[in-house]
Amino acid sequence: DSGVTQTPKHLITATGQRVTLRCSPRSGDLSVYWYQQSLDQGLQFLIQYYNGEERAKGNILERFSAQQFPDLHSELNLSSLELGDSALYFCASSVMDRGNTEAFFGQGTRLTVV
Amino acid sequence: GENVEQHPSTLSVQEGDSAVIKCTYSDSASNYFPWYKQELGKRPQLIIDIRSNVGEKKDQRIAVTLNKTAKHFSLHITETQPEDSAVYFCAARRSGGSYIPTFGRGTSLIVHP
């Protein structure tokens, strides 16, 4: 167990809908990263938060948004869902937003858009 | 930004053989290089990492080498076992400023008994 908790584990929804994925980082970790992993694809970086503030953005669609709350948990909001959004979404956390610190991954949320 | 290339995409070996996965990176400021193992349907887990102040690091059957001049690093697995079968990701990141770990596309390692 990495200490990073993601909910839900599985999510099935229809096109056009909106969903929220939740991530609780390891205790003491201030930085949260969101990644998308599609079938046979690598880990595509979406967005990073550090202590409540957005720190870096990757290839995140405008239909997607995220935030990190004062208690450091993070939510990834996916709207106007398309079939191509079906993927495994990982959250990772680390102590800092820089330096040689390990990123710990949650178990992921498998999103299926039908 | 950083770009990490990983090869091969698929690697098939017989049990007991060695496996080598290679990665190159583009950002010369990168100084931390972790390797993650992802078993089917599970989360990526760190298996070994190397920092830029060393050229090689070993942990039992796995080792990582780093050539900063050439900007490439490699994962070596000796005496492979079926449970080594997984997807392996390399990553590169740098300290200072706003940065994120950039991952390679992954190598699917298959170890045949």
Side-chain angles (χ1 to χ4, degrees):
Chain A
D1 184 7
S2 67
V4 180
T5 304
Q6 288 187 249
T7 56
K9 290 185 179 179
H10 302 276
L11 196 51
I12 301 175
T13 190
T15 55
Q17 295 298 305
R18 171 190 168 95
V19 297
T20 297
L21 313 183
R22 183 187 169 100
C23 170
S24 294
R26 289 189 325 150
S27 177
D29 284 0
L30 300 178
S31 192
V32 169
Y33 311 82
W34 285 97
Y35 286 86
Q36 180 192 57
Q37 187 176 41
S38 303
L39 191 63
D40 296 330
Q41 295 292 311
L43 292 159
Q44 301 295 316
F45 169 69
L46 296 178
I47 198 164
Q48 177 201 11
Y49 280 84
Y50 177 74
N51 204 20
E53 295 185 358
E54 181 184 305
R55 189 55 63 101
K57 254 185 177 180
N59 298 322
I60 187 167
L61 300 172
E62 287 191 7
R63 300 183 286 108
F64 296 1
S65 65
Q67 54 185 327
Q68 186 179 28
F69 295 87
D71 66 353
L72 300 177
H73 90 271
S74 178
E75 292 181 355
L76 179 66
N77 301 296
L78 315 176
S79 62
S80 302
L81 285 167
E82 303 175 357
L83 295 177
D85 297 328
S86 295
L88 195 54
Y89 291 83
F90 284 106
C91 166
S93 73
S94 64
V95 173
M96 300 289 289
D97 66 332
R98 61 194 67 192
N100 301 333
T101 56
E102 176 184 350
F104 293 86
F105 282 82
Q107 293 286 358
T109 292
R110 182 168 296 282
L111 173 66
T112 303
V113 182
V114 297
Chain B
E2 176 66 276
N3 182 47
V4 177
E5 299 284 339
Q6 184 172 348
H7 300 279
S9 57
T10 305
L11 181 57
S12 184
V13 300
Q14 288 295 129
E15 183 177 1
D17 288 350
S18 295
V20 180
I21 303 171
K22 299 181 178 181
C23 290
T24 60
Y25 61 99
S26 60
D27 187 351
S28 57
S30 289
N31 58 4
Y32 175 62
F33 308 92
W35 284 87
Y36 286 81
K37 175 183 179 182
Q38 185 180 24
E39 296 177 357
L40 189 63
K42 296 189 177 181
R43 63 182 174 90
Q45 289 186 274
L46 181 77
I47 56 171
I48 195 168
D49 57 15
I50 191 168
R51 290 163 172 77
S52 59
N53 58 343
V54 296
E56 184 176 4
K57 183 177 179 180
K58 289 183 179 180
D59 183 4
Q60 299 182 339
R61 295 187 298 108
I62 60 173
V64 58
T65 58
L66 171 65
N67 184 326
K68 284 216 73 178
T69 302
K71 290 191 283 189
H72 67 70
F73 55 112
S74 301
L75 178 71
H76 304 254
I77 306 174
T78 58
E79 300 173 22
T80 54
Q81 301 168 4
E83 51 265 38
D84 295 330
S85 297
V87 178
Y88 292 80
F89 293 96
C90 63
R93 66 190 292 179
R94 58 181 174 85
S95 59
S98 176
Y99 78 104
I100 49 95
T102 302
F103 286 85
R105 290 180 63 84
T107 296
S108 178
L109 173 63
I110 303 167
V111 181
H112 299 280

